[in-house]
């Protein structure tokens, strides 16, 4: 009897998986939404951020001093990788015009007594105005000017030491007794794509998977075919569980397929680092995929039409990205936002995925995150079961009337 019951459960799971795959591949919108759009969006984002470092951001220099020292400073600034200096003028209004027209992203003003003060050993200052609304350009401009200013000051100090009788080597040592050697870890070029794309890939998969599940569920409810398709209306209550597991198995296989394509192609083509064994990443992401799938099943109680999911879930992708902590540190979140962030499976999933693929962590290092992912999957599974019970109950009530 036990073997017979086990056989029927396994048969129900695989039958539900087969039915779900047949309906999935039989719907053009679903195939396009998840299989095609997920890969297209991954490649589109990879192409946009392929040039990871902002180079040669144009700025203007207003040179009121017009001295050899100010010209030397401008040449040093133009030689940096971060900025270019297409506009050198002594008219602030001209520079402002270029700025408001969007031709430049910053203005550096060299005062008219720049060389005189430096030669006399007095302190002088340069004024920098940059477009802070563009984070990457602002970072490039401020970084370049700070770097050049440090080098410029070092040259002045070394020249003073040379005039006092020290040789060049001792002058350099007296300028900087301790030399700092820095080596960026995991993202050596400080590339924006390396920083953000792994997060975007998972959030895109989450969003489009929820959309696909919601569209199919909305179609079933709109046509009143959901309970009949999976024989839920005339089945035992316990049969709902293997049916949900079978449907989840179908989407889990699709997720692994799509994710494998992204890892094997997008990460390779755009030269993104992947510092983990592929099997370890899949093992960690299985509960993440299941959590997203069961969340999609839970939302069936809300989406009554096909369009509901497509219109609603898309707006959740941006909050999901922000709540991962990739754009603003989690420690700066209000307490209620931290709690709210766990509504999205991507919040924990992204942290574990980054730890494995980027920071060379092992599964043992992130076992707590893996446990949290399983708890999230179990929570949404319970919600999905309750939603299906509710749908069946309402169906039975309508039939009774």
């Amino acid at each position: 009897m036990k073997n017979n019951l086990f056989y029927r459960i396994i048969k129900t799971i695989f039958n539900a998986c087969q039915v779900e795959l047949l309906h999935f591949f039989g719907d053009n919108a679903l195939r396009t939404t998840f299989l095609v759009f997920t890969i297209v969006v991954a490649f589109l984002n990879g192409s946009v951020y392929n040039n990871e470092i902002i180079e040669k951001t144009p700025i203007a220099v207003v040179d009121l001093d017009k001295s050899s020292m100010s010209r030397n400073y401008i040449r040093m600034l133009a030689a940096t990788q971060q900025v270019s200096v297409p506009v050198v003028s002594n008219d602030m209004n001209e520079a402002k015009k270029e700025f408001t027209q969007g031709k430049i992203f910053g203005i550096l003003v060299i005062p008219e007594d720049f060389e005189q003060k430096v030669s006399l050993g007095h302190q002088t200052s340069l004024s920098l105005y940059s477009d802070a609304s563009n984070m990457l350009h602002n970072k490039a401009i401020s970084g370049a000017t700070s770097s050049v200013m440090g080098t410029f000051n070092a040259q002045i100090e070394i020249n003073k030491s040379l005039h006092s009788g020290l040789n060049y080597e001792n002058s350099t040592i007296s300028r900087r007794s301790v030399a700092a050697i820095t080596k960026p870890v995991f993202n050596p070029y400080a590339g924006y794509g390396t920083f953000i794309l792994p997060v975007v890939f998972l959030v895109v998969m989450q969003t489009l998977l929820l959309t696909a599940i919601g569209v199919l569920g909305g179609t079933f409810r709109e046509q009143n075919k959901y309970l009949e398709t999976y024989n839920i209306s005339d089945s035992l209550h316990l049969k709902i569980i293997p049916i949900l597991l079978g449907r989840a198995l179908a989407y889990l296989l699709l997720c692994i397929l799509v994710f494998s394509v992204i890892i094997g192609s997008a990460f390779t083509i755009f030269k993104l680092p992947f510092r983990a064994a592929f099997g370890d990443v899949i093992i960690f992401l299985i509960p993440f995929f299941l959590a997203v799938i069961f969340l999609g099943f839970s939302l069936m109680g809300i989406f009554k039409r096909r369009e509901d999911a497509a219109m609603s879930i898309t707006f959740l992708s941006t909050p999901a990205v922000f709540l991962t902590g990739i754009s603003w540190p989690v420690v700066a979140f209000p307490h209620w936002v931290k709690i709210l962030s766990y509504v999205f499976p991507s919040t924990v999933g992204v942290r574990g995925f980054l730890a494995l693929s980027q920071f060379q962590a092992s599964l043992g290092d992130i076992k707590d995150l893996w446990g949290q992912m399983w708890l999230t999957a179990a929570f949404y599974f319970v919600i999905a079961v309750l939603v299906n019970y509710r749908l069946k109950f309402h169906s039975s009530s309508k039939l009774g009337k």
Side-chain angles (χ1 to χ4, degrees):
M1 182 65 183
K2 290 183 178 180
N3 292 334
N4 189 29
L5 176 62
F6 178 75
Y7 172 77
R8 283 187 292 163
I9 291 174
I10 297 299
K11 183 178 179 181
T12 302
I13 291 175
F14 281 100
N15 284 343
C17 176
Q18 182 180 10
V19 171
E20 193 75 19
L21 288 174
L22 288 174
H23 280 92
F24 179 89
F25 286 102
D27 192 311
N28 291 330
L30 294 185
R31 293 200 307 269
T32 304
T33 298
F34 187 59
L35 295 182
V36 178
F37 278 4
T38 303
I39 297 174
V40 168
V41 171
F43 273 84
L44 180 61
N45 280 279
S47 300
V48 170
Y49 298 114
N50 191 29
N51 295 324
E52 298 193 67
I53 302 173
I54 296 293
E55 296 181 353
K56 297 301 180 183
T57 298
I59 66 172
V61 176
V62 178
D63 185 7
L64 301 178
D65 193 44
K66 292 180 287 186
S67 62
S68 60
M69 189 173 289
S70 65
R71 289 192 293 270
N72 182 42
Y73 184 89
I74 295 171
R75 284 194 296 270
M76 292 173 63
L77 187 62
T80 63
Q81 182 183 18
Q82 296 99 320
V83 302
S84 62
V85 187
V87 179
V88 179
S89 172
N90 59 357
D91 186 358
M92 186 65 176
N93 290 327
E94 180 184 347
K96 286 182 179 179
K97 183 179 179 181
E98 297 284 327
F99 185 84
T100 55
Q101 291 177 352
K103 296 179 180 180
I104 59 174
F105 294 90
I107 302 172
L108 179 69
V109 180
I110 301 177
E112 58 184 355
D113 55 356
F114 177 70
E115 184 175 43
Q116 180 183 1
K117 284 190 173 182
V118 171
S119 300
L120 294 175
H122 298 162
Q123 187 179 46
T124 186
S125 60
L126 304 181
S127 300
L128 175 65
Y129 306 89
S130 64
D131 183 5
S133 65
N134 191 311
M135 178 185 65
L136 295 180
H137 284 305
N138 183 58
K139 179 182 176 182
I141 294 170
S142 60
T145 52
S146 297
S147 176
V148 172
M149 182 56 68
T151 304
F152 190 81
N153 286 331
Q155 288 181 349
I156 295 173
E157 292 183 24
I158 291 174
N159 286 335
K160 288 181 179 180
S161 298
L162 290 174
H163 287 304
S164 66
L166 291 177
N167 58 31
Y168 181 80
E169 182 179 357
N170 290 333
S171 298
T172 304
I173 294 175
S174 65
R175 166 62 176 78
R176 180 172 295 177
S177 301
V178 179
I181 300 175
T182 60
K183 184 178 181 180
V185 182
F186 304 125
N187 190 358
Y189 301 106
Y192 193 71
T194 301
F195 167 72
I196 200 171
L197 283 179
V199 177
V200 171
F201 290 158
L202 277 196
V203 174
V204 166
M205 287 195 67
Q206 172 180 267
T207 302
L208 295 181
L209 177 59
L210 288 175
T211 302
I213 295 174
V215 167
L216 184 57
T219 303
F220 283 145
R221 293 197 66 185
E222 191 175 357
Q223 299 174 357
N224 294 320
K225 291 182 179 180
Y226 175 61
L227 299 178
E228 297 177 5
T229 301
Y230 297 96
N231 296 323
I232 294 178
S233 57
D234 58 349
S235 66
L236 298 174
H237 286 305
L238 292 179
K239 192 177 180 182
I240 292 176
I241 294 177
I243 287 175
L244 287 178
L245 292 176
R247 296 184 63 206
L249 176 61
Y251 288 109
L252 180 61
L253 295 175
L254 291 173
C255 286
I256 294 175
L257 172 64
V258 172
F259 182 77
S260 300
V261 172
I262 292 175
I263 294 298
S265 55
F267 271 72
T268 302
I269 292 173
F270 301 115
K271 299 179 181 179
L272 297 174
F274 190 80
R275 305 180 178 94
F278 181 75
D280 290 346
V281 175
I282 291 296
I283 290 173
F284 174 81
L285 289 180
I286 284 176
F288 165 74
F289 292 142
L290 290 176
V292 177
I293 293 165
F294 291 134
L295 173 59
F297 292 166
S298 302
L299 295 176
M300 279 195 63
I302 301 175
F303 301 140
K304 297 181 180 180
R305 294 187 304 274
R306 185 180 181 93
E307 296 81 9
D308 293 344
M311 296 178 62
S312 303
I313 295 176
T314 304
F315 293 102
L316 299 177
S317 59
T318 300
V321 171
F322 284 117
L323 291 175
T324 59
I326 196 67
S327 59
W328 188 253
V330 177
V331 293
F333 286 177
H335 186 65
W336 67 270
V337 174
K338 291 180 183 179
I339 296 174
L340 180 64
S341 68
Y342 289 99
V343 171
F344 297 99
S346 55
T347 298
V348 178
V350 160
R351 295 173 191 172
F353 177 59
L354 290 178
L356 284 173
S357 65
Q358 305 300 310
F359 308 148
Q360 293 181 307
S362 65
L363 281 175
D365 296 329
I366 57 169
K367 59 183 179 182
D368 292 340
L369 293 176
W370 198 52
Q372 291 179 42
M373 280 305 341
W374 278 112
L375 288 175
T376 305
F379 172 77
Y380 282 122
F381 174 70
V382 172
I383 300 298
V385 171
L386 294 177
V387 167
N388 277 263
Y389 279 155
R390 181 175 176 272
L391 292 175
K392 180 180 177 181
F393 173 77
H394 282 290
S395 176
S396 301
S397 300
K398 290 179 181 179
L399 291 175
K401 292 179 181 179

